[in-house]
Amino acid sequence: MQKDDFSKSYVVEGKLALPYTYFAGRLGSTFLTTIRDQQKIMGVRCNQCSKVFVPPRQTCERCLSDIRENWVTLENTGEVINFTVVREHDKHLPRKTPYILGMIRLDGADTPMVHIIEGVNPESVSEGMRVKAVFAAESEGTILEIDHFIIS
Amino acid sequence: MGYKNKKRHVGIIGIGETKFSSHREDVNQPEMIHEAVRRALDDAGLQIDDIDCVVHGNMELFEMVHQADMWHTIGTGAYGKSAFRLTTGGTTGGTLVCGADNLVASGMYDVVMAIGFEKLQEGHTTGGITNMADPLWARKLQSGALTAQAAVKLIAEFGEERARRAAMTYRIIMDKHACKNPNAHRAFHLEWDQIDDLMKHSPPLIGDLRLIHMCSQSDGACAIIFASEKKAREISDTPVWIRDHITIHREETLNLHNNFYPIQTTHRFAAEKLYERNGIENPLEYFDVFEMYDPSAWWGVDWLRDFFLLEGDQHIQMVENHDIMIDGKMPINPSGGVIATNPIGATAMVRVAEAAKQIRGDAGEHQIPGKVEHGLASSFGGTMWTVLTMLEKETNW
Amino acid sequence: MGEYYGIDVADIFNSMQSRFRPEGAEGVEASIGYDITGTGMWELRIGPGGMSLDKRDELTGCDVVVHVDAQTFVGLNIGKIDAMAALGAAKLKVEGDFNLFAATGKMFTKYVIPGQEVVPEQELLVLKKTISVNQRFAAGPVMGTFLQGLKEKKILAIKCPVCGRLQSPPREICAPCRVRNDEWVEIGPSGEMRMLEYCYYASPDPLTGETRETPYGAIGILLDGCGENEVFWHLLRPDQLDDVQMGIVMGDSVVHGSRLRPVWSENRNGSINDIKYFEIER
């Protein structure tokens, strides 16, 4: 056999398709159903590290203490601390491109969360812009219970 | 084989297991993992700051979450620490132990925590396994981890009645063990007089492999903390020492679909090499407990022969005589084994954890009544490959 | 009639009418028999008009009959026992249409123990997704040659220059000898069946996500021209599952399996599907 004979090489189209079921858990479910039912965004505070995490988590990633009971209600407003513009379309994406994906630090939180920013065109978005949550009319129990954040 | 002795001894100083179950809707992945991490830290009497390095593993196609170790940092405590991810299919849990052992033995880290997990309820186990096969050929043919080949072989060699009865006896012994283990996922309280009924009526999956023979699909996690000898003796009164481990792979998958015996299995090959280099002449006599990765009752029976280097029908007799029961001559899986509990990425690590608990003497209701000083744990995965781990109560080897 | 967990079997049947959920039984027209060991037999009929339940002396003509002991039955209804666990342990046996039995879960609300306070459970969110990814696999020159051969109804194997071993589907190297394979050999296309995996369990085909039809047979075939360990892996014609015999070699004793031949697809594009399956050679 010739070492570099690739004449018989070709590409086979394949597909992988399997069913998956993901559980949000108690904490995640409380977080999302509160957004859905009360239009209220909650985080959890680590008293030891003086940090408020959103989305909430059961343990503080730094000191590993159990913080699941320490709910705090955050404002529905916040600040863009970083962003990117999604330009390449893919069927898995939640929006038609181009759209802005931002890191938003809600007022009262120490950690940013990632979400979609609207109300500004991709060329004009900048760090430090103020945003406000717009809640979804209908969603499937994901972070898209918040439809997007709009520049205020 | 380029095997060298360890630079220093490595001891298990903390063990944490979740309760294993098919229903963990109440936690997400890092939350479930954290339960095991918390228990391991508490068991060792350590804080997360005492851990130098975290090794994490599972089989990602079961949950279809990639780089799970990143997301899971909030549950594992790996924030700001050295962290590795290992994934080797069914042997993942065993490989995690090998990895942690090597990291400590090499002198790179003093205290390493290994974490194995799986949340099988979130994916499709059999579908996930088929994706590990060659996409151009085997993916269409593979039936996941479900196979009746061990049954075909045992029936050909020992006849239908004796083989089927041995497999079901093995199954009931494992259930009796699982009933003593509060962490076990499935404990059915099967009775001896159900053997005939189960042989006939348990729903068939493939050939002679029935639902009752097959391992569960479980959710859960296991964490083990390893330390250098000096640290281990400081931290723990009952460290359990990793004497040696061996991993044997094979290239061949095609001859698995043959009906041609005897063949040398990676189990027997691994066992021969491991015993030879550790001077173990009679493994049945030497070991006090064996936690076997037994995905089905058929494999459990068949593999006894390979792991203990037996001939003829000795392995069948061990089952028939109940030698493998918790109070028998060679207790196998006092935890109930993999048929009772199978959170795949954690499963092989649970074997090591359970064998170590037996050596510590604090396994609880499923503690072996006699002395336990020498333990063996196996892992199984992929196209039939093997990890074997030897555990000791003393460092006098 | 015994009580289990403080509940009588009759309580569960007597409350069925009030627990019936017509929306969960839409389009179902069937009868379900319950044989509660040592206690009695009931027949549940579901139809457009709702449900009816009668005590019976025998359960003939039901679409499905559930055989279960009283304790397990009560345990299942109050959520103390998991149905899959009971099935696995053969404490619950389902005779007939299994899917119909499984659907009864949707037809009734849960049995609530009288007087027991119902604590509303927290709503736990779940996201169900079928993840589907298109993939492209490079066959490479070795697998490519093999797959091209199938187009011409040829099964090719590659031969190790050192040990002479044949591999099909082929690999570029012989791993034990650590050398590059260099010779192609045509094998089969007929051979002897060595292994049959008689699959009753319906798993999803990972290439499509669709559940496969059962039973089906995955087989190992020793194709003509191959040595003892050189088996070929494919599927058996589904209607011949019960007509074939496995060959076996156990030391010196040899039993020959059924002779099989490939059935080729009309449109062959160089994939595993170019062979539909193997069938008995008559």
Side-chain angles (χ1 to χ4, degrees):
Chain A
M1 186 172 56
Q2 281 279 312
K3 199 176 173 187
D4 296 319
D5 177 10
F6 293 110
S7 61
K8 295 279 177 63
S9 300
Y10 64 108
V11 166
V12 180
E13 300 287 334
K15 191 178 160 190
L16 186 151
L18 285 172
Y20 288 88
T21 307
Y22 296 106
F23 298 96
R26 289 197 183 283
L27 208 76
S29 296
T30 302
F31 174 62
L32 292 171
T33 53
T34 309
I35 294 173
R36 183 190 65 194
D37 302 338
Q38 302 174 40
Q39 308 209 322
K40 212 163 80 176
I41 307 171
M42 311 264 281
V44 287
R45 172 191 293 280
C46 175
N47 293 324
Q48 204 167 320
C49 302
S50 300
K51 291 247 180 285
V52 173
F53 296 103
V54 62
R57 55 200 57 181
Q58 193 175 290
T59 45
C60 172
E61 70 189 15
R62 301 181 184 217
C63 67
L64 225 56
S65 52
D66 193 327
I67 55 175
R68 80 183 85 177
E69 303 290 337
N70 310 346
W71 288 102
V72 284
T73 303
L74 307 169
E75 300 296 328
N76 291 346
T77 52
E79 183 185 327
V80 177
I81 63 163
N82 211 330
F83 65 89
T84 190
V85 180
V86 183
R87 296 186 189 276
E88 178 74 19
H89 185 68
D90 187 281
K91 62 175 178 169
H92 298 103
L93 295 175
R95 287 285 193 281
K96 281 200 87 155
T97 53
Y99 67 92
I100 306 163
L101 209 50
M103 301 267 272
I104 296 153
R105 186 167 56 221
L106 292 175
D107 296 329
D110 289 296
T111 57
M113 58 188 267
V114 176
H115 219 295
I116 298 159
I117 295 175
E118 291 187 1
V120 59
N121 66 48
E123 282 67 38
S124 312
V125 63
S126 66
E127 288 168 24
M129 281 183 153
R130 300 284 303 164
V131 290
K132 189 174 192 314
V134 176
F135 296 95
E138 216 174 300
S139 167
E140 50 180 359
T142 69
I143 194 63
L144 291 174
E145 293 292 350
I146 303 171
D147 189 74
H148 61 274
F149 282 82
I150 193 149
I151 301 288
S152 50
Chain B
M1 208 177 295
Y3 167 75
K4 290 193 181 67
N5 281 321
K6 285 182 183 175
K7 283 190 186 307
R8 55 178 182 173
H9 290 316
V10 179
I12 290 174
I13 57 163
I15 298 170
E17 291 173 36
T18 61
K19 158 80 184 148
F20 299 102
S21 101
S22 60
H23 298 283
R24 289 312 305 268
E25 296 92 340
D26 57 327
V27 283
N28 65 14
Q29 291 174 22
E31 290 166 353
M32 185 183 75
I33 285 166
H34 184 71
E35 293 174 9
V37 169
R38 174 58 55 202
R39 284 176 195 178
L41 287 170
D42 290 349
D43 182 52
L46 295 180
Q47 303 295 320
I48 191 67
D49 288 347
D50 300 316
I51 305 293
D52 301 324
C53 173
V54 175
V55 196
H56 171 284
N58 77 313
M59 278 169 87
E60 55 264 278
L61 271 163
F62 288 136
E63 293 88 2
M64 197 67 115
V65 175
H66 297 269
Q67 294 189 309
D69 49 329
M70 307 278 180
W71 172 30
H72 292 174
T73 299
I74 54 179
T76 61
Y79 181 85
K81 296 182 189 303
S82 286
F84 293 83
R85 176 162 167 74
L86 290 172
T87 171
T88 61
T91 51
T92 292
T95 307
L96 285 164
V97 171
C98 298
D101 182 43
N102 289 354
L103 286 168
V104 177
S106 68
M108 288 194 66
Y109 301 98
D110 284 334
V111 184
V112 174
M113 176 162 60
I115 305 162
F117 88 97
E118 214 74 70
K119 220 162 177 282
L120 290 179
Q121 194 190 2
E122 299 200 340
H124 194 291
T125 310
T126 300
I129 292 178
T130 51
N131 277 304
M132 275 142 229
D134 165 18
L136 296 184
W137 200 259
R139 203 180 265 188
K140 188 179 173 71
L141 303 172
Q142 226 232 11
S143 48
L146 300 173
T147 167
Q149 293 182 13
V152 167
K153 174 185 166 190
L154 285 165
I155 287 171
E157 195 170 351
F158 301 104
E160 278 184 5
E161 173 63 19
R162 191 176 182 202
R164 285 185 183 145
R165 197 160 288 278
M168 204 55 77
T169 303
Y170 183 96
R171 178 65 190 94
I172 290 184
I173 291 171
M174 290 306 130
D175 188 62
K176 297 224 172 271
H177 291 173
C179 289
K180 293 174 186 288
N181 178 2
N183 285 336
H185 168 186
R186 298 190 307 175
F188 292 146
H189 298 272
L190 300 176
E191 295 300 337
W192 297 114
D193 61 12
Q194 283 184 270
I195 287 186
D196 290 289
D197 188 36
L198 289 169
M199 276 162 59
K200 275 198 212 86
H201 291 122
S202 176
L205 296 173
I206 290 192
D208 252 283
L209 178 80
R210 293 174 180 273
L211 187 58
I212 190 69
H213 294 126
M214 195 59 196
C215 58
S216 63
Q217 299 180 35
S218 314
D219 290 2
C222 178
I224 302 181
I225 302 173
F226 302 80
S228 62
E229 179 166 10
K230 183 166 169 290
K231 281 265 185 184
R233 292 198 193 278
E234 278 168 26
I235 295 166
S236 172
D237 295 330
T238 52
V240 175
W241 307 100
I242 312 272
R243 176 164 170 181
D244 199 359
H245 57 77
I246 189 167
T247 300
I248 301 293
H249 281 179
R250 70 187 300 154
E251 158 238 26
E252 198 55 85
T253 57
L254 294 175
N255 66 7
L256 298 179
H257 305 280
N258 203 347
N259 208 351
F260 179 80
Y261 312 102
I263 50 164
Q264 185 170 46
T265 66
T266 53
H267 290 340
R268 188 175 275 258
F269 189 87
E272 280 170 0
K273 295 281 171 210
L274 186 74
Y275 303 155
E276 186 190 328
R277 74 190 188 197
N278 286 284
I280 311 291
E281 277 169 16
N282 186 344
L284 264 187
E285 229 165 65
Y286 185 78
F287 291 109
D288 304 312
V289 61
F290 176 31
E291 277 284 339
M292 192 210 295
Y293 196 125
D294 56 344
S296 79
W298 287 106
W299 267 334
V301 173
D302 189 34
W303 292 351
L304 282 173
R305 178 154 68 174
D306 289 333
F307 286 124
F308 290 112
L309 313 181
L310 305 177
E311 303 297 334
D313 68 346
Q314 282 176 290
H315 57 309
I316 307 273
Q317 285 185 40
M318 278 175 74
V319 175
E320 288 169 343
N321 300 336
H322 296 191
D323 290 345
I324 62 169
M325 278 196 82
I326 187 164
D327 53 358
K329 282 190 222 161
M330 181 62 243
I332 308 290
N333 296 349
S335 63
V338 182
I339 305 174
T341 306
N342 190 21
I344 296 178
T347 300
M349 195 186 243
V350 173
R351 307 280 64 75
V352 175
E354 285 293 331
K357 285 202 285 191
Q358 292 293 339
I359 291 173
R360 295 203 309 204
D362 59 4
E365 206 198 322
H366 64 289
Q367 177 68 41
I368 294 169
K371 79 163 171 68
V372 185
E373 292 176 352
H374 314 290
L376 183 67
S378 78
S379 320
F380 157 75
T383 52
M384 299 279 175
W385 64 61
T386 308
V387 179
L388 268 180
T389 312
M390 267 178 83
L391 302 170
E392 298 283 352
K393 187 169 189 161
E394 308 292 343
T395 53
N396 56 0
W397 61 85
Chain C
M1 204 184 270
E3 278 194 3
Y4 299 95
Y5 312 101
I7 299 158
D8 203 294
V9 169
D11 294 344
I12 293 187
F13 283 111
N14 293 340
S15 64
M16 270 179 142
Q17 193 75 57
S18 61
R19 292 189 288 119
F20 184 61
R21 295 174 65 245
E23 65 273 25
E26 233 172 51
V28 179
E29 203 168 342
S31 85
I32 300 153
Y34 292 90
D35 169 20
I36 315 295
T37 321
T39 308
M41 290 182 254
W42 282 263
E43 183 183 351
L44 170 69
R45 265 192 239 89
I46 310 281
M51 63 149 274
S52 66
L53 184 77
D54 293 292
K55 204 143 190 291
R56 293 268 182 245
D57 292 328
E58 57 176 29
L59 294 168
T60 45
C62 289
D63 298 295
V64 60
V65 177
V66 183
H67 304 275
V68 62
D69 66 273
Q71 180 171 5
T72 305
F73 180 70
V74 174
L76 287 167
N77 274 278
I78 63 170
K80 288 266 183 209
I81 294 174
D82 176 64
M84 282 314 284
L87 273 170
K91 298 206 168 175
L92 169 68
K93 287 170 205 160
V94 179
E95 197 185 329
D97 185 349
F98 187 87
N99 291 335
L100 176 62
F101 161 71
T104 55
K106 283 188 295 185
M107 298 179 194
F108 297 93
T109 58
K110 251 174 133 176
Y111 180 82
V112 180
I113 301 167
Q116 194 169 86
E117 204 184 329
V118 183
V119 185
E121 256 290 301
Q122 185 193 346
E123 180 190 357
L124 294 175
L125 296 179
V126 51
L127 181 67
K128 284 181 187 286
K129 288 266 177 214
T130 291
I131 296 179
S132 164
V133 186
N134 292 327
Q135 297 178 305
R136 302 173 82 236
F137 299 105
V142 174
M143 197 65 185
T145 302
F146 167 77
L147 292 173
Q148 297 280 353
L150 295 179
K151 282 194 195 174
E152 297 154 31
K153 297 193 185 180
K154 282 184 189 164
I155 303 177
L156 297 175
I158 203 161
K159 190 171 179 179
C160 170
V162 176
C163 69
R165 174 171 76 127
L166 298 177
Q167 295 189 72
S168 183
R171 292 191 182 92
E172 190 172 10
I173 59 148
C174 176
C177 300
R178 294 190 169 90
V179 292
R180 197 164 187 150
N181 296 320
D182 60 354
E183 189 189 336
W184 288 99
V185 179
E186 193 178 338
I187 55 172
S190 296
E192 173 197 329
M193 192 180 84
R194 272 291 174 76
M195 179 59 71
L196 168 65
E197 293 276 30
Y198 195 127
C199 305
Y200 302 93
Y201 171 78
S203 63
D205 182 338
L207 305 176
T208 61
E210 304 287 326
T211 298
R212 298 182 232 229
E213 272 190 37
T214 54
Y216 70 97
I219 51 174
I221 317 153
L222 191 66
L223 292 178
D224 295 342
C226 291
E228 286 301 7
N229 255 327
E230 299 157 2
V231 289
F232 190 79
W233 194 10
H234 211 277
L235 298 171
L236 181 69
R237 198 173 118 177
D239 62 347
Q240 295 187 337
L241 266 166
D242 295 313
D243 306 328
V244 286
Q245 158 134 23
M246 268 186 266
I248 182 166
V249 178
M250 179 91 53
D252 298 332
S253 122
V254 180
V255 176
H256 288 288
S258 306
R259 292 280 306 169
L260 302 179
R261 67 179 172 212
V263 176
W264 298 94
S265 300
E266 266 177 41
N267 297 317
R268 293 180 302 282
N269 56 6
S271 83
I272 185 170
N273 298 319
D274 288 359
I275 300 174
K276 274 159 82 175
Y277 39 65
F278 281 75
E279 65 174 8
I280 296 170
E281 193 173 64
R282 293 190 202 277

